[in-house]
């Protein structure tokens, strides 16, 4: 009977393993890459927000979870760091 019980759970275990390798693991990797990108944003970088706005980072607030982005000359908005979708142009680090 023990062999029959294991045989019944084998497809369920197999489905979970496939789901882990095809869905969960790549999503975790993508989240880690996004987190690293957000942490590396600094003044002068050109970014795209999830709302579709493109702007240049004018101030990075270290303590807070936000940055200041200039979307037009003289127009600055505060943006939550995690809503940055992409960094278009990276600036060279200051020496």
């Amino acid at each position: 009977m023990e062999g029959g019980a294991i045989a019944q759970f084998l497809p369920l275990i197999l489905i979970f393993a496939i789901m882990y390798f095809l869905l969960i693991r790549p999503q975790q990797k993508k989240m880690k890459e996004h987190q690293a990108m957000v942490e590396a944003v600094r003044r002068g970088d050109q970014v795209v927000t999830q709302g579709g706005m493109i702007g240049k980072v004018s101030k990075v607030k270290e303590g807070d979870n936000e940055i200041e982005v200039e979307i037009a000359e003289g127009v600055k908005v505060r943006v939550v760091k995690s809503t940055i979708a992409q960094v278009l142009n990276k600036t060279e680090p200051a020496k």
Side-chain angles (χ1 to χ4, degrees):
M1 270 262 195
E2 281 187 33
I6 293 173
Q8 287 179 341
F9 285 112
L10 190 60
L12 189 62
I13 293 169
L14 206 59
I15 289 172
F16 180 76
I18 291 170
M19 290 279 287
Y20 176 77
F21 284 109
L22 293 179
L23 297 176
I24 299 170
R25 195 164 167 235
Q27 186 65 25
Q28 287 176 339
K29 183 179 178 187
K30 188 175 180 181
M31 282 176 52
K32 284 181 185 177
E33 289 173 355
H34 182 263
Q35 185 73 22
M37 177 193 68
V38 167
E39 292 300 321
V41 168
R42 61 181 164 267
R43 188 169 179 253
D45 290 351
Q46 190 172 10
V47 296
V48 179
T49 65
Q50 288 180 357
M53 288 194 301
I54 300 173
K56 192 173 191 177
V57 177
S58 60
K59 186 189 295 183
V60 178
K61 298 181 180 179
E62 292 302 323
D64 297 336
N65 194 21
E66 63 183 47
I67 59 174
E68 192 173 273
V69 178
E70 185 173 11
I71 55 175
E73 194 170 323
V75 180
K76 296 179 181 178
V77 293
R78 290 172 33 201
V79 178
V80 176
K81 277 185 177 182
S82 61
T83 62
I84 295 173
Q86 185 179 6
V87 177
L88 296 176
N89 294 339
K90 294 207 52 79
T91 57
E92 292 299 317
K95 293 183 180 179

